Amino acid sequence: MSDRKPYVGGNWKMNTSVDTSSSLARGVVDACESAQGSVDIVVFPPAPYLIGVKSILRSRPTSIATGAQDLYFEADGAFTGEISVAMVKDCGCGHALAGHSERRHVIGESDELVNAKVRATLEGGLTCVLCIGETLEEREAGETNAVNERQLRTGLADVGLRQMDKVVIAYEPVWAIGTGKTASPEDAQAAHAFIRGLLAEMFSDEVAQRTRIIYGGSVKPSNAAALFGQPDIDGGLIGGASLKVEDFAAIVKAAAPH
Ligand code: 13P
């Protein structure tokens, strides 16, 4: 058992409304009460609902935090449609995702753009959840480790040793996201151990041991405990199941140290 504090994120993606984001936030606070001290719990609502969700969390005695699903690396200016680190902080967020597979593969973000976002997020003092992971074609071609290495090294280029305190890595194999297909605990563990080994090479053993590496891709109450029981899996980034209070709460509980 490591002494890394588990991290569970609820990535709501492009779901919910003013009403349902509020009721989901209230439900998550109530249902996750007992695990709050032992697990870092962060919800990532769509940007228009960040303020509303944050104000609900502020009105309760809770340590559940909010994060942005994405942000842009420039400070301000003519970047129609984008949101800056300062705006995200202004909405009360302490966390942001970078390089989610849907940003990479649906929107077309490059490794270099992801790196610019990672650096801007860290320079702004936010916790950055850098998402990496291979597609099905890459896995079948035997390129899983090579893809994860490229995305990790480029994503963390020019990130300083001390900034690694605010980095969480999310390993999300693209073929497991939203498909109902979960990586087996053993396959996920192998990828996480490989990533931790790279962090040791790139930074130091200490950084590698301290950094949370979380798994994402069809995590459900039924498979969460087996995944989180692996030595190098420090929690999860949850999509579909984070929209259901009971499922998300059960997953958070599975991450809490027993
Ligand atoms: P699902 O849990 O819906 O597979 O999504 C995972 C994910 O992409 C979280 O960021």
Side-chain angles (χ1 to χ4, degrees), residues 2 9 12 18 23 25 28 32 76 105 122 129 132-134 138 150 166 177 183 198 203 206 224 232 234 237-238 252:
S2 84
W12 297 358
V18 169
S23 51
V28 167
C32 294
D76 51 38
H105 298 292
L122 295 172
V129 182
I132 63 173
E134 79 286 357
E138 290 164 341
R150 192 197 72 232
K166 293 244 178 194
I177 296 178
L198 286 174
F203 297 96
E206 204 198 332
D232 287 295
D234 306 314
L237 189 56
I238 320 303
V252 166

Side-chain angles (χ1 to χ4, degrees), residues 11 13 97 100 102 172 176-179 216-219 237-241:
N11 177 7
K13 307 193 180 183
L97 305 182
H100 190 277
E102 286 137 25
E172 301 201 292
I177 296 178
T179 58
S218 298
V219 178
L237 189 56
I238 320 303

Side-chain angles (χ1 to χ4, degrees), residues 125-147:
L126 299 176
T127 294
C128 180
V129 182
L130 169 63
C131 308
I132 63 173
E134 79 286 357
T135 63
L136 184 59
E137 298 75 60
E138 290 164 341
R139 171 161 280 256
E140 285 174 346
E143 293 166 0
T144 297
N145 285 351
V147 169

Side-chain angles (χ1 to χ4, degrees), residues 18-38:
V18 169
D19 284 348
T20 59
S21 61
S22 301
S23 51
L24 185 54
R26 284 192 200 94
V28 167
V29 174
D30 291 340
C32 294
E33 206 179 335
S34 62
Q36 278 175 41
S38 54

Side-chain angles (χ1 to χ4, degrees), residues 87-120:
M87 291 173 188
V88 165
K89 286 169 75 171
D90 209 14
C91 293
C93 291
H95 304 243
L97 305 182
H100 190 277
S101 84
E102 286 137 25
R103 303 287 324 164
R104 293 178 190 269
H105 298 292
V106 181
I107 315 291
E109 290 192 4
S110 66
D111 292 338
E112 289 70 27
L113 177 57
V114 172
N115 174 244
K117 292 181 176 193
V118 168
R119 285 185 285 124

